[in-house]
Amino acid sequence: MTRSAYAVEVRNLHKSFGPLEVLKGIDFTVDSGQLVCIIGPSGSGKSTLLRCVNLLEEPTSGKVFVNGVELTDPDVDIDAERCRIGMVFQQFNLFPHLTVLRNVTIAQERVLKRSRAEAERIARAGLDRVGLGEKAGAFPAQLSGGQQQRVAIARALAMDPTLMLFDEPTSALDPELVGEVLAVMRKLTEDGMTMLVVTHEMGFAREVADRVVFIDGGVIVEDGPPEQVIGHPRHERTRTFLSRVLHPEA
């Protein structure tokens, strides 16, 4: 089996939905402990790329490696490997009929086969980590959108992932709630978590990311440190996109 020395490596990735080619030969790597932000216009392939990294979408061709293991190898145990990849979506996907605590314990018990007591101990520690320890007995409908998203992050972290994927985690939130979720993500970066984040939050990308990848039309147009890609973009497509995002009233 082919292996990789990177936390994430994507080689010549293509993804088509019928006649529509969404990803057109993507190559990039992520080192362990890096936070890489993926930016680009709607429909550019950002979310599809993220979903291909953990094979929620199966690539049409190309290879994907996570933690050195080729996930696109037909012989790989994808369920076992996917357990090590946490994913947080735009929508919170919490079970509305379960308490916050139970939302964070259920996958631990069913997938990792942890005892109820161990799962609850880990869940409570995770909720404390995202600032919601006092909400363990609440139901999702009793929480704000930002609190629900923080529960979703705690749920993903409870599975002990080595990689976290975030697909526009603040896009469904009211503007005043965005900061609390980004603060949790900043803390994860400080803790050394490897993270791939699809986002429109340019301030977050500029301040926190190790690298920014700009995708347009299914290809990587620009890839580099945030001060270069966001501060001094080299490509006209990047400059046009950033001008629209950063100065929408212009």
Side-chain angles (χ1 to χ4, degrees):
M1 181 185 293
T2 308
R3 296 188 68 86
S4 169
Y6 297 99
V8 179
E9 183 175 7
V10 173
R11 299 180 186 172
N12 195 28
L13 183 68
H14 291 256
K15 176 62 182 177
S16 297
F17 295 97
L20 178 64
E21 188 176 24
V22 177
L23 300 177
K24 304 174 182 178
I26 299 286
D27 292 280
F28 76 98
T29 60
V30 181
D31 290 328
S32 180
Q34 273 195 328
L35 187 157
V36 176
C37 283
I38 302 172
I39 65 173
S42 298
S44 60
K46 308 183 300 297
S47 293
T48 299
L49 171 59
L50 205 68
R51 293 171 66 86
C52 283
V53 168
N54 66 355
L55 262 65
L56 285 178
E57 296 288 356
E58 186 171 348
T60 303
S61 63
K63 294 183 177 183
V64 175
F65 300 82
V66 174
N67 301 315
V69 177
E70 184 189 343
L71 301 192
T72 40
D73 187 314
D75 295 326
V76 77
D77 184 344
I78 187 60
D79 290 331
E81 295 302 324
R82 198 181 278 137
C83 281
R84 304 166 68 196
I85 306 171
M87 187 154 187
V88 177
F89 300 89
Q90 297 179 38
Q91 302 301 326
F92 321 123
N93 297 325
L94 301 178
F95 295 111
H97 63 292
L98 300 179
T99 65
V100 164
L101 184 66
R102 191 68 183 129
N103 266 281
V104 183
T105 59
I106 189 167
Q108 295 184 64
E109 294 176 33
R110 295 187 178 179
V111 178
L112 300 183
K113 307 304 181 185
R114 288 173 176 160
S115 68
R116 174 68 67 94
E118 182 184 14
E120 288 194 359
R121 177 183 60 80
I122 291 168
R124 290 184 186 279
L127 290 169
D128 285 340
R129 189 177 182 183
V130 300
L132 290 174
E134 79 286 356
K135 297 292 187 181
F139 288 88
Q142 297 172 300
L143 306 180
S144 70
Q147 289 172 329
Q148 291 186 58
Q149 191 63 293
R150 285 189 279 155
V151 173
I153 294 172
R155 178 181 56 188
L157 293 174
M159 304 297 285
D160 295 331
T162 58
L163 168 68
M164 286 286 288
L165 307 177
F166 291 86
D167 187 5
E168 299 195 35
T170 60
S171 66
L173 300 179
D174 292 333
E176 66 269 22
L177 302 177
V178 169
E180 65 188 64
V181 174
L182 296 182
V184 171
M185 295 170 66
R186 282 188 175 90
K187 182 63 168 63
L188 292 180
T189 305
E190 294 167 5
D191 293 343
M193 177 64 72
T194 307
M195 299 163 65
L196 258 177
V197 182
V198 171
T199 185
H200 287 296
E201 298 292 336
M202 294 302 128
F204 175 79
R206 187 195 291 264
E207 295 168 24
V208 183
D210 296 293
R211 281 182 25 237
V212 174
V213 176
F214 172 63
I215 293 181
D216 192 16
V219 299
I220 292 178
V221 177
E222 201 152 352
D223 179 354
E227 60 267 23
Q228 179 240 299
V229 176
I230 297 177
H232 302 90
R234 297 171 180 168
H235 295 268
E236 182 59 34
R237 288 161 78 184
T238 316
R239 289 192 288 270
T240 300
F241 167 75
L242 288 171
S243 69
R244 290 172 178 165
V245 172
L246 297 173
H247 309 288
E249 71 287 347

